[in-house]
Amino acid sequence: MAMQLDKVVPFGRSLDEYRRLFALSDGDLQKNVISIADGPASFNAELTAQGGSVVSVDPLYIFSAADIAERFYAVVDLIIDQVKATPDDWTWHYHRSPDHLKENRCAALRSFVGDFDKGKTEGRYVIGELPHLEFGDGLFDLALCSHFLFLYSDHLTYEFHLASIREMLRVANEIRIFPLLTLGLEVSPHVAQVVSDLASQGFNARVEMVPYEVQRGGHQMLRVERGS
Ligand SMILES: C[S@@+](CC[C@H](N)C(=O)[O-])C[C@H]1O[C@@H](n2cnc3c(N)ncnc32)[C@H](O)[C@@H]1O
């Protein structure tokens, strides 16, 4: 079904946040990366500016940068008010406060908007959606997925998760997914089953701690590598 922009909260994170939440090393940032459900993150804009190779995939990219920005500014204060109303759900080590969180999300949005048209022309922003990716087998070294899989476990089935992860593993040698929490701050009920099913299919799947926590308790990612 076509995405409706008025149902979306187009919040995006920065390269620095991606570095932490996926435990990306300098070497990882030199890899050929695909970043799925990237939304208006500034990861692509910033990594490209420093010479990296990254393709972002999201159904949101059917809209113009101006429309995405308009939607962002229509909802940002509502979301920040919700954060302020649930102080125990968040930690303030990375963003110092809800207002600092807003500043960082606005900065990421500006960077994304400034890069989007050029990046779309260059094939760095691609309209697409899990569980199917329009890319050949093994085209990428690393596939990332931030704040989509596991987070929306109340709406997305186990079958959707497993099919999406297998598809990410088809196009990349290694994948990383963050966070493992749902919006309700519980570890997604799909995580243990995914790890077990992937292990039985010959993949090396493990949960790892990362140096990033904004959602309280959200400091783990799933890393999966193809078996040798
Ligand atoms: C919360 S945002 C995360 C943005 C970015 N990854 C970040 O962490 O800053 C979730 C994104 O998932 C995208 N999305 C929704 N359905 C999707 C699907 N089936 N496949 C890929 N992305 C999807 C949305 O358009 C949205 O941009």
Side-chain angles (χ1 to χ4, degrees):
M1 200 175 75
M3 175 171 259
Q4 290 176 270
L5 192 53
D6 62 1
K7 301 271 185 289
V8 176
V9 175
F11 269 34
R13 290 159 187 80
S14 65
L15 170 61
D16 187 63
E17 289 182 273
Y18 270 45
R19 278 191 85 118
R20 293 164 194 253
L21 63 87
F22 289 124
L24 294 169
S25 65
D26 290 345
D28 289 330
L29 295 176
Q30 318 246 321
K31 291 177 178 169
N32 196 16
V33 178
I34 181 169
S35 193
I36 298 152
D38 232 16
S42 57
F43 176 64
N44 192 318
E46 293 184 75
L47 185 56
T48 301
Q50 66 181 53
S53 166
V54 55
V55 172
S56 298
V57 178
D58 199 299
L60 186 69
Y61 301 152
I62 195 155
F63 301 106
S64 69
D67 286 346
I68 295 169
E70 186 182 328
R71 175 66 187 158
F72 173 88
Y73 289 113
V75 294
V76 62
D77 286 327
L78 293 173
I79 302 297
I80 296 299
D81 284 348
Q82 285 173 17
V83 170
K84 286 178 179 171
T86 52
D88 295 344
D89 290 359
W90 313 96
T91 68
W92 301 106
H93 310 299
Y94 187 82
H95 311 289
R96 291 188 300 277
S97 65
D99 291 323
H100 188 222
L101 168 66
K102 177 181 170 181
E103 275 172 40
N104 288 337
R105 291 289 168 269
C106 289
L109 191 272
R110 283 195 299 273
S111 174
F112 165 81
V113 166
D115 183 54
F116 186 63
D117 287 347
K118 182 166 183 282
K120 220 171 170 188
T121 310
E122 292 172 356
R124 289 189 285 108
Y125 295 102
V126 174
I127 301 163
E129 58 189 304
L130 291 170
H132 180 67
L133 298 170
E134 302 274 344
F135 297 92
D137 297 355
L139 210 57
F140 299 92
D141 302 314
L142 180 61
L144 306 175
C145 185
S146 161
H147 292 85
F148 175 61
L149 291 173
F150 299 128
L151 186 64
Y152 297 106
S153 292
D154 288 351
H155 305 286
L156 302 170
T157 63
Y158 177 73
E159 290 68 32
F160 178 89
H161 278 76
L162 189 61
S164 296
I165 291 169
R166 287 298 308 256
E167 182 70 344
M168 290 170 68
L169 283 161
R170 182 185 65 75
V171 302
N173 295 323
E174 179 189 334
I175 71 164
R176 301 183 201 180
I177 300 171
F178 178 97
L180 306 188
L181 297 190
T182 66
L183 291 172
L185 303 185
E186 306 284 339
V187 174
S188 163
H190 302 324
V191 172
Q193 189 68 43
V194 161
V195 169
S196 160
D197 282 355
L198 290 173
S200 69
Q201 292 168 12
F203 295 100
N204 180 4
R206 56 192 188 274
V207 170
E208 296 181 10
M209 293 285 290
V210 296
Y212 180 90
E213 181 183 0
V214 173
Q215 259 186 312
R216 188 171 295 282
H219 43 55
Q220 291 182 313
M221 72 167 176
L222 177 67
R223 184 200 298 259
V224 189
E225 292 155 325
R226 287 200 201 151
S228 48

